[in-house]
Amino acid sequence: MAVTKSDLGFVLILSCLLILTSGQSSQGHFNKHVALFIFGDSLFDPGNNNYINTTPDFQTNFWPNGESYFNPPSGRFSDGRLIPDFIAEFARLPLIPAYLDPHDNEFLYGANFASGGSGVLVETNAGVVVDMRTHLQYFANLEKHYRHILGDAKDDQLLSDAVYLFSCGGNDYQIFLSNNETSLHHEQYVEMVIGNMSDVFKVRPVPML
Ligand SMILES: *[C@@H]1O[C@H](CO)[C@@H](O)[C@H](O)[C@H]1NC(C)=O
Ligand SMILES: *[C@@H]1O[C@H](CO)[C@@H](O)[C@H](O)[C@H]1NC(C)=O
């Protein structure tokens, strides 16, 4: 993955948390494929930031981004595919589309809610990214859509069989490290990030609409 200078801040691999979880289900399969739901920051964003009101620092839908794989550039913070793309390919799924892409609204194989620059905390790059609480609300809206077209039983099965991928925390810590005016001790800040992350994993979100 090539990284441009303006992306450098986002790609704090060391402080980034990669979490792979899978729902458990003893029931049969909804269909041959398991859905993939993706949440997080620029490491996983397939182009959601193309569709929000933001600044050029948080968008990559221009040359030479994507040059090794996408034409035109998809909005990935990379010269090619990202980790979720390779996981999707390995699972024999199509590339999982950006949830905010207006051209794709079926999401039969899952959806990607990730937004470059976003953090676990709503304050992280607030106003120019989609924060993780909003990812959850979008996910709840999508669940409502599945429930509508599939019915309760198949919706439950789809969600419990699905694989959930998270990449988060890196931008929160980057903001903290570059903030010379905070009164918080780093341990307090880490507690806040971990606390909010735990909430995200535990809370069953409610649709916005
Ligand atoms: C914090 O950093 C900014 C930008 O680098 C600088 O202008 C400001 O003086 C710094 N504040 C303190 C309290 O060091
Ligand atoms: C979550 O983050 C907010 C700041 O965005 C903070 O006030 C709150 O205490 C955190 N929650 C937990 C459970 O740590």
Side-chain angles (χ1 to χ4, degrees):
M1 282 186 265
V3 176
T4 64
K5 200 176 162 202
S6 68
D7 302 333
L8 217 52
F10 302 106
V11 191
L12 287 177
I13 308 268
L14 282 181
S15 58
C16 173
L17 229 113
L18 231 72
I19 299 162
L20 182 62
T21 69
S22 172
Q24 289 180 347
S25 169
S26 54
Q27 302 160 23
H29 286 273
F30 155 63
N31 64 26
K32 281 187 294 196
H33 297 289
V34 165
L36 192 52
F37 294 103
I38 301 151
F39 304 82
D41 49 31
S42 61
L43 295 183
F44 285 4
D45 183 356
N48 280 309
N49 282 7
N50 299 348
Y51 307 105
I52 63 171
N53 199 0
T54 182
T55 64
D57 279 352
F58 294 92
Q59 289 182 323
T60 52
N61 51 348
F62 49 86
W63 191 256
N65 296 291
E67 65 179 345
S68 73
Y69 196 81
F70 298 100
N71 186 16
S74 60
R76 284 168 174 75
F77 291 69
S78 165
D79 70 342
R81 286 161 288 176
L82 300 174
I83 292 166
D85 299 321
F86 290 108
I87 290 175
E89 282 175 21
F90 189 71
R92 296 202 207 103
L93 299 172
L95 297 189
I96 305 302
Y99 179 72
L100 296 180
D101 182 349
H103 301 108
D104 192 311
N105 51 23
E106 286 302 321
F107 302 109
L108 293 177
Y109 301 100
N112 188 329
F113 305 95
S115 166
S118 69
V120 180
L121 305 179
V122 290
E123 292 88 354
T124 296
N125 294 321
V128 287
V129 302
V130 184
D131 66 75
M132 195 152 280
R133 301 272 161 173
T134 310
H135 298 175
L136 281 187
Q137 289 177 328
Y138 288 153
F139 178 61
N141 289 349
L142 186 57
E143 189 200 349
K144 207 173 146 195
H145 164 74
Y146 288 140
R147 203 169 283 283
H148 182 69
I149 59 171
L150 301 174
D152 288 352
K154 280 185 174 172
D155 172 59
D156 285 346
Q157 194 172 345
L158 171 75
L159 297 185
S160 65
D161 284 349
V163 172
Y164 298 82
L165 258 174
F166 292 84
S167 161
C168 53
N171 291 311
D172 302 289
Y173 295 131
Q174 193 237 338
I175 297 266
F176 181 76
L177 293 173
S178 60
N179 180 356
N180 58 0
E181 279 161 15
T182 178
S183 56
L184 284 179
H185 190 264
H186 71 269
E187 281 174 4
Q188 293 172 299
Y189 193 81
V190 169
E191 247 172 52
M192 213 163 79
V193 172
I194 300 291
N196 277 266
M197 210 181 277
S198 308
D199 283 354
V200 165
F201 296 151
K202 283 187 291 201
V203 165
R204 188 168 179 98
V206 180
M208 279 188 287
L209 304 174

